[in-house]
Amino acid sequence: MVTATQSLRPQAGAGAFWRRLVNGDEVARLVTLAFASTVLLIVAVLVFELFRGSAVARHRFGWAFFVTQNWDPVAEQFGALPFIYGTVVTSAVALLIAVPLSLGAAVFLAELAPQRISDACTFLIELLAAVPSVIYGLMAIFTLVPLLRDYVQPFLGKTLGFLPFFQGPSFGAGYLAAGLILAVMICPFIISISREALFGVPREQREAALALGATQWESTWQVVIPHARLGIIGSVFLALARALGETIAVTMVIGNDPSIRASLFAPGYTIAAVLANEFTEATGELYLDSLVELGLVLFLLTMVINALAQLLVVLTSRRGSAHP
Amino acid sequence: MSSSSDSELTVGKPHERPRSHAGAGVRLAAAPPKMRSVNLNFYYGAFQALHDISLDFHTNRITALIGPSGCGKSTFLRTLNRIHETVRHTRVEGRILLDSEDIFQVETTTLRRRIGMVFQKSNPFPKSIADNVAYGPRVNGVRRKTDVEEVVERSLRRAALWEEVKDKLRESAYALSGGQQQRLCIARALAVDPEVLLLDEPCSALDPIATAKIEDLLFDLKDQCTIVIVTHNMQQAARVADYTGFFLLGRLVEFNTTEVIFKTPARKETEDYITGRFG
């Protein structure tokens, strides 16, 4: 090996390059490099186009675009805040519901269920991830929204109505419906990836805890889950990215009202939903550019949240970690 | 691993101590057994891994279990604290007694508090050194900070690790060397004051110096607990153990004082294995 590379080096030049090309190493390097660069190129083009396409809106509104609530195409007044708010709130509701649910399911599937049941369940759960989002949207319209409107929201209003989140009339469609359907949609991701992360914890770790007189629950909660936490956090943020960008299912049940309300019962709007709804009818240049700038905002929002996720991982794994 | 190179390594070891086995047999036999296995059979599904193992572990003595890979010595060790129950489709017949109490009638958490275990691969938790040692006391209800600190120091001292780590108790256990990690695992096991300490090939991944430290440690520890060590290093068994059991194909071929096993084994299989003719 050493002698081979040494003998190649002096002949560096067209001849050696050609030989390596024929050998396949250089071909493989160039082809994979091209593929890797393509991904970066796409990201760069995306940002550039979003930035360029939103020029008129950026010049007209400046930073105020991010903090004003007014979205009035007739008066040509555009503010992104209701959409940012709706996007963040629906995703937060989705995570609040989906994370405990999925983590519980993953722990059961990885730690407690017999192998065959675990595999069968996981297969079904991964099928859920493959269902088109428009199907989830239809399901939400025909079952979730009536259910929320007629039973869940009146009940929540009666019992937890003192909280600002559960006040106002029950429309069915709104932040809560969108958050719930998002929760259903992201569960498969969290369950499937967390289960793999839990399976990846060495059995010696479990046995070490059990051998000290820990119960199975103590071993799972204090040793296995902390050991798998990087994978679990990763799954949550993958799910979050999906929730932030989900379009059709949310558009179908969010209520499409560009206003900011504390109550989860109220209708709202998300960035992805307004893009899908209004892009075809955006006539004026300012209107169109404002929508493109919303796209840029969504892109940046996703980037910032992913960066925060990375930071969180770095911070939590600094002390006492298996991954120094 | 060739046994000749092993014996070369042991020549002139710095930890020579008076560990005479001569004349010990009579005195040792007088001690009552701490643990006792009676006609133990072990099954993985339909496969029988252990056949009728009957064997006494004497109080405050070191018992070594030797034999070729796959002979069932580790399986046997893992039934002694019932950690085998974490593996599905295993079944045990027969009895194991701890102070004449059937261990299969005791709650596993209680049992494992009394019978500590150290594993082949050092397996510290991804926590700090102090938290690793404190884990056992904490799950067993020690909460007060001063109590925890005290037990951490005492356990690390008992595992001869205190001097090396006392200034970095808050650092990750993964920053330690392999031998230190294994001694940390011993300290962690000692922190719950076990009556019996099981060690499953604790030195198989360690260099000779780290191995010597652990062997020294075991020798010091046997005043405080009864030790069972599985090893496929026969020199190690000869160095540390008072008693040795030889396993072959799931059966206990021979069990006696280490001196007898290594000098005048009764069975031909034992002699063949000891002298390196197979295994």
Side-chain angles (χ1 to χ4, degrees):
Chain A
M1 188 65 207
V2 174
T3 54
T5 50
Q6 276 170 347
S7 68
L8 273 177
R9 242 175 228 147
Q11 310 168 9
F17 178 77
W18 181 247
R19 223 178 352 269
R20 278 190 295 153
L21 200 63
V22 173
N23 281 340
D25 278 3
E26 197 62 21
V27 176
R29 199 181 76 85
L30 288 175
V31 169
T32 50
L33 177 71
F35 290 168
S37 323
T38 310
V39 176
L40 289 179
L41 194 71
I42 289 173
V43 175
V45 168
L46 205 61
V47 175
F48 177 73
E49 278 300 317
L50 286 173
F51 195 74
R52 203 181 54 138
S54 58
V56 179
R58 277 188 289 111
H59 286 132
R60 174 75 184 276
F61 303 117
W63 293 107
F65 184 74
F66 297 94
V67 289
T68 48
Q69 299 189 27
N70 205 8
W71 186 266
D72 187 351
V74 180
E76 296 219 307
Q77 285 300 316
F78 299 103
L81 198 59
F83 307 104
I84 298 175
Y85 176 79
T87 305
V88 170
V89 166
T90 49
S91 296
V93 170
L95 281 189
L96 272 179
I97 296 165
V99 168
L101 200 83
S102 307
L103 206 54
V107 166
F108 174 75
L109 292 175
E111 298 289 310
L112 305 172
Q115 188 67 41
R116 231 175 285 166
I117 292 179
S118 173
D119 287 346
C121 283
T122 308
F123 176 72
L124 291 176
I125 288 166
E126 281 168 1
L127 271 187
L128 284 182
V131 175
S133 52
V134 68
I135 305 292
Y136 281 111
L138 286 175
M139 190 181 87
I141 286 181
F142 289 121
T143 59
L144 186 64
V145 168
L147 208 67
L148 285 177
R149 185 183 58 220
D150 299 335
Y151 302 102
V152 179
Q153 290 182 346
F155 173 76
L156 283 175
K158 249 181 278 170
T159 50
L160 295 168
F162 57 91
L163 294 169
F165 312 119
F166 303 112
Q167 287 169 355
S170 306
F171 292 117
Y175 296 118
L176 188 61
L180 275 172
I181 200 66
L182 279 177
V184 174
M185 293 173 74
I186 64 179
C187 270
F189 290 90
I190 308 181
I191 295 175
S192 173
I193 300 172
S194 299
R195 173 179 172 264
E196 289 303 320
L198 291 171
F199 272 145
V201 177
R203 72 172 298 110
E204 293 89 14
Q205 289 282 320
R206 294 177 176 82
E207 290 184 347
L210 293 173
L212 289 165
T215 60
Q216 183 163 20
W217 172 246
E218 286 166 334
S219 149
T220 301
W221 185 245
Q222 299 166 352
V223 173
V224 176
I225 290 179
H227 206 278
R229 75 175 182 281
L230 289 186
I232 293 171
I233 294 174
S235 77
V236 169
F237 280 99
L238 189 72
L240 177 58
R242 165 114 210 236
L244 289 171
E246 175 50 41
T247 310
I248 289 300
V250 172
T251 312
M252 290 162 91
V253 295
I254 186 81
N256 299 338
D257 177 18
S259 54
I260 295 179
R261 311 242 182 76
S263 175
L264 296 178
F265 298 169
Y269 227 150
T270 67
I271 297 176
V274 74
L275 285 178
N277 271 339
E278 300 192 2
F279 207 77
T280 47
E281 60 202 45
T283 43
E285 198 181 20
L286 185 63
Y287 193 4
L288 191 63
D289 279 27
S290 297
L291 286 173
V292 173
E293 190 172 358
L294 273 181
L296 185 66
V297 170
L298 182 59
F299 187 85
L300 293 178
L301 197 64
T302 316
M303 294 294 253
V304 166
I305 285 175
N306 272 303
L308 286 177
Q310 295 290 336
L311 192 69
L312 181 75
V313 168
V314 169
L315 287 180
T316 55
S317 54
R318 191 162 287 166
R319 181 194 286 178
S321 168
H323 311 270
Chain B
M1 185 186 283
S2 95
S3 50
S4 67
S5 72
D6 269 347
S7 39
E8 276 165 24
L9 286 175
T10 62
V11 169
K13 267 174 121 25
H15 65 299
E16 283 307 321
R17 296 200 179 200
R19 40 180 81 170
S20 138
H21 296 296
V26 178
R27 188 171 58 80
L28 294 179
K34 180 72 186 173
M35 283 191 91
R36 164 171 256 178
S37 129
V38 185
N39 294 330
L40 191 81
N41 288 291
F42 188 97
Y43 304 85
Y44 287 109
F47 172 72
Q48 186 168 6
L50 293 175
H51 301 262
D52 278 327
I53 309 289
S54 293
L55 164 58
D56 289 355
F57 297 104
H58 294 280
T59 310
N60 292 11
R61 296 289 173 264
I62 300 179
T63 304
L65 307 177
I66 60 169
S69 298
C71 68
K73 56 193 190 300
S74 285
T75 301
F76 179 60
L77 191 79
R78 290 167 58 85
T79 56
L80 294 178
N81 70 344
R82 293 174 60 190
I83 200 89
H84 72 279
E85 289 172 8
T86 58
V87 180
R88 292 202 173 100
H89 311 299
T90 55
R91 188 161 53 86
V92 169
E93 285 169 8
R95 293 201 303 160
I96 296 176
L97 305 176
L98 173 65
D99 289 335
S100 60
E101 188 180 2
D102 189 341
I103 66 164
F104 294 103
Q105 305 299 323
V106 182
E107 196 75 44
T108 49
T109 51
T110 318
L111 177 76
R112 290 172 188 155
R113 225 165 290 165
R114 297 176 61 188
I115 305 180
M117 188 167 204
V118 175
F119 297 81
Q120 179 171 2
K121 230 178 90 192
S122 65
N123 53 355
F125 300 130
K127 301 171 189 283
S128 72
I129 293 169
D131 284 342
N132 261 280
V133 181
Y135 184 84
R138 282 193 181 130
V139 296
N140 292 309
V142 178
R143 285 276 172 270
R144 269 181 46 201
K145 196 160 172 282
T146 49
D147 291 350
V148 171
E149 280 169 359
E150 191 213 302
V151 76
V152 166
E153 177 172 347
R154 181 156 42 92
S155 309
L156 285 169
R157 280 190 194 282
R158 284 172 77 186
L161 193 60
W162 175 252
E163 291 302 325
E164 291 159 62
V165 302
K166 64 181 176 189
D167 297 324
K168 46 180 179 180
L169 291 174
R170 295 283 144 218
E171 283 175 33
S172 167
Y174 288 86
L176 297 176
S177 73
Q180 287 174 325
Q181 285 190 20
Q182 193 61 296
R183 275 181 287 147
L184 178 66
C185 293
I186 294 177
R188 185 175 64 184
L190 291 174
V192 287
D193 277 321
E195 299 160 37
V196 181
L197 187 61
L198 310 175
L199 301 107
D200 189 0
E201 301 189 22
C203 306
S204 62
L206 302 182
D207 63 60
I209 292 170
T211 301
K213 280 188 181 160
I214 291 198
E215 288 176 7
D216 272 350
L217 175 61
L218 295 183
F219 208 74
D220 293 337
L221 285 176
K222 72 173 181 176
D223 294 338
Q224 302 155 38
C225 53
T226 303
I227 295 175
V228 185
I229 178 170
V230 161
T231 176
H232 56 206
N233 177 337
M234 279 174 289
Q235 278 65 35
Q236 182 166 63
R239 283 192 299 264
V240 302
D242 301 298
Y243 291 91
T244 298
F246 172 57
F247 280 71
L248 187 60
L249 300 171
R251 290 171 205 279
L252 179 65
V253 174
E254 191 169 351
F255 178 73
N256 213 319
T257 61
T258 300
E259 198 192 2
V260 171
I261 291 284
F262 280 88
K263 287 190 179 151
T264 53
R267 300 283 299 266
K268 184 159 184 313
E269 296 98 313
T270 316
E271 193 183 339
D272 286 351
Y273 183 69
I274 301 290
T275 53
R277 239 166 282 170
F278 79 96

